[in-house]
Amino acid sequence: MKARHIYRPLILSILLCITASCSNDVSLSLDEEDSYVLVDYEREFLTVHATLRNDGSQDANGLYAEFSVDDEKAAEVLGFDHLLFNEKADGMPERFTVSENSGFFISEGFVLHETIPPEHFNSTITVQISNDEETLLEASLDNLIIEEVRNDS
């Protein structure tokens, strides 16, 4: 009777290890160091750069990205508060894949319709990565870079 109780936890542990090592999961995250919002006041341009990581054991297929702007003034200056990344003429977003144990970056540039203080762009732009079934990642771009105005004399 005691031997049966000893083997049960051992068998469950082995099954758990096998299940964990064979699981096909996607693990998306934002590489915060390599993701940023660049404001270039001289060129009147803002660039959003998001580097995604998939540390899972399965490719993340059929993904699309959306940007949202949480600051009302920043949204007004950019001309949107919600935007699909690489939206096609038919209104559908371009799809992409992040391979297993790999990275992928998306970058989009926007014209600044007027100059506003940089704090309006600080941690106000969010990137959301989804597939047809669910949102896999939603993260704020907290790294703000201000391009200095050059005085070429």
Side-chain angles (χ1 to χ4, degrees), residues 5-93:
H5 290 288
I6 293 172
Y7 289 116
R8 184 176 291 162
L10 179 63
I11 291 171
L12 289 174
S13 296
I14 291 171
L15 287 174
L16 181 63
C17 288
I18 291 171
T19 304
S21 65
C22 295
S23 67
N24 292 327
D25 61 340
V26 170
S27 178
L28 283 184
S29 62
L30 182 72
D31 182 337
E32 292 181 23
E33 254 183 61
D34 199 28
S35 300
Y36 54 85
V37 174
L38 173 76
V39 181
D40 186 337
Y41 286 114
E42 185 175 13
R43 292 181 183 86
E44 299 177 336
F45 208 70
L46 179 134
T47 302
V48 176
H49 183 94
T51 300
L52 310 173
R53 297 279 324 149
N54 179 6
D55 295 321
S57 59
Q58 179 179 351
D59 292 351
N61 298 307
L63 302 178
Y64 63 94
E66 299 174 72
F67 297 112
S68 60
V69 182
D70 298 330
D71 183 276
E72 190 176 316
K73 185 64 177 171
E76 180 183 314
V77 167
L78 291 170
F80 71 90
D81 62 358
H82 185 81
L83 181 79
L84 290 172
F85 173 69
N86 278 353
E87 186 175 359
K88 298 185 225 171
D90 63 1
M92 298 301 292

